[in-house]
Amino acid sequence: MKKRNLFLGLALAALVFTSCKDEKVTAAEKSVDTYVIYVDSIGNIEAAEVKANWQAIDEAYQIKVVEADLALENLKETEAAQARIDASKAKFAALQAQIEADMQAEAMANSKQLLRNTLFGEGKIGDDMNFGWVNKDNILAVYDQFVNTAQDNKDSYSREDWDEIKLMYEALDSRKNTVEKEGLTSADNIKIAGLKLKFAPLYTFNRMGAKTEEMKKAKE
């Protein structure tokens, strides 16, 4: 009777152990599946929505990838599971690189537009760099705002900002050549010449300083 009870006890213990083991395997397989499915699902979302919700997407990803990696300890066919996890990691890394590149490009574009807005007025100059709105009656005011705004904000500009400023300055100068033929007054022309003399050293000195600061930070 005692032997029978002993065997029953051992059999029951083995059954419980097997059941627990099976549950761990099932849970592990589910963690891997959930991770792979999650990564695949991101690819089905519109790019704009992904970028808008990227922080939440990334936070959820970090949790699921940790769970998937830990699940490998409870799987028999770890090689196949590892291959699935690695493939999803590569897929997410590629998506992350693309999203971050897009977001950086958008940030740079927004930064450039903000710079144009401060130098010329809200929405006056876009990516097309169209200066057709500048004429003989307002060109002096345009130069004045441009040069004095650059002067007032010189300490906050990066080297890239100064490069963009120089690009816009040259485009404004090109427009001036056209405006002069339309009857720009001598008085306005002289005042513009004075502003140009003010801008030249302002640009040269401050761009050099911004570049030096950039190189200093790069060495740190």
Side-chain angles (χ1 to χ4, degrees):
M1 185 68 176
K2 289 183 179 180
K3 287 185 177 180
R4 183 183 177 189
N5 290 338
L6 178 62
F7 286 133
L8 285 173
L10 290 173
L12 181 60
L15 182 62
V16 171
F17 176 77
T18 301
S19 176
C20 291
K21 189 174 182 180
D22 288 343
E23 287 178 4
K24 287 183 178 180
V25 171
T26 300
E29 290 174 344
K30 184 177 180 180
S31 292
V32 174
D33 288 342
T34 299
Y35 168 67
V36 172
I37 291 170
Y38 179 75
V39 174
D40 288 341
S41 70
I42 300 172
N44 297 324
I45 304 174
E46 291 290 335
E49 187 175 347
V50 172
K51 282 185 282 188
N53 298 282
W54 180 248
Q55 185 175 347
I57 290 173
D58 184 53
E59 288 174 354
Y61 171 85
Q62 298 304 328
I63 294 172
K64 295 182 187 302
V65 71
V66 169
E67 290 175 345
D69 283 335
L70 291 175
L72 288 173
E73 298 177 6
N74 295 313
L75 292 175
K76 294 179 181 179
E77 300 296 331
T78 56
E79 191 172 319
Q82 184 69 69
R84 293 180 68 203
I85 291 173
D86 289 345
S88 290
K89 283 182 178 180
K91 184 181 293 186
F92 185 83
L95 174 63
Q96 184 178 35
Q98 182 61 56
I99 291 297
E100 290 179 351
D102 289 347
M103 292 173 73
Q104 184 177 13
E106 288 179 4
M108 289 179 65
N110 291 337
S111 177
K112 284 184 177 182
Q113 189 57 56
L114 180 61
L115 182 62
R116 294 166 188 160
N117 290 344
T118 59
L119 291 167
F120 295 106
E122 190 74 28
K124 290 289 184 66
I125 297 295
D127 291 336
D128 58 0
M129 299 290 282
N130 184 355
F131 281 81
W133 55 277
V134 178
N135 55 54
K136 63 182 181 62
D137 297 318
N138 65 13
I139 191 168
L140 174 59
V142 173
Y143 265 101
D144 186 70
Q145 178 176 339
F146 182 93
V147 174
N148 286 306
T149 299
Q151 171 68 41
D152 292 342
N153 296 281
K154 64 182 188 300
D155 295 330
S156 65
Y157 293 146
S158 66
R159 180 182 60 82
E160 290 82 2
D161 289 334
W162 282 112
D163 289 343
E164 181 69 14
I165 289 169
K166 181 65 179 303
L167 185 67
M168 289 185 286
Y169 178 76
E170 290 173 347
L172 178 58
D173 266 357
S174 178
R175 177 59 182 171
K176 177 179 176 292
N177 294 333
T178 300
V179 171
E180 281 184 301
K181 300 173 185 177
E182 297 174 352
L184 180 63
T185 66
S186 297
D188 283 354
N189 214 345
I190 291 172
K191 291 176 182 177
I192 289 172
L195 289 166
K196 288 166 66 68
L197 285 173
K198 180 179 178 180
F199 177 78
L202 173 69
Y203 165 77
T204 302
F205 178 79
N206 286 283
R207 186 190 183 282
M208 187 181 299
K211 185 176 181 180
T212 301
E213 185 65 23
E214 184 181 272
M215 292 173 66
K216 181 181 177 182
K217 288 182 179 180
K219 291 179 180 179
E220 292 178 352

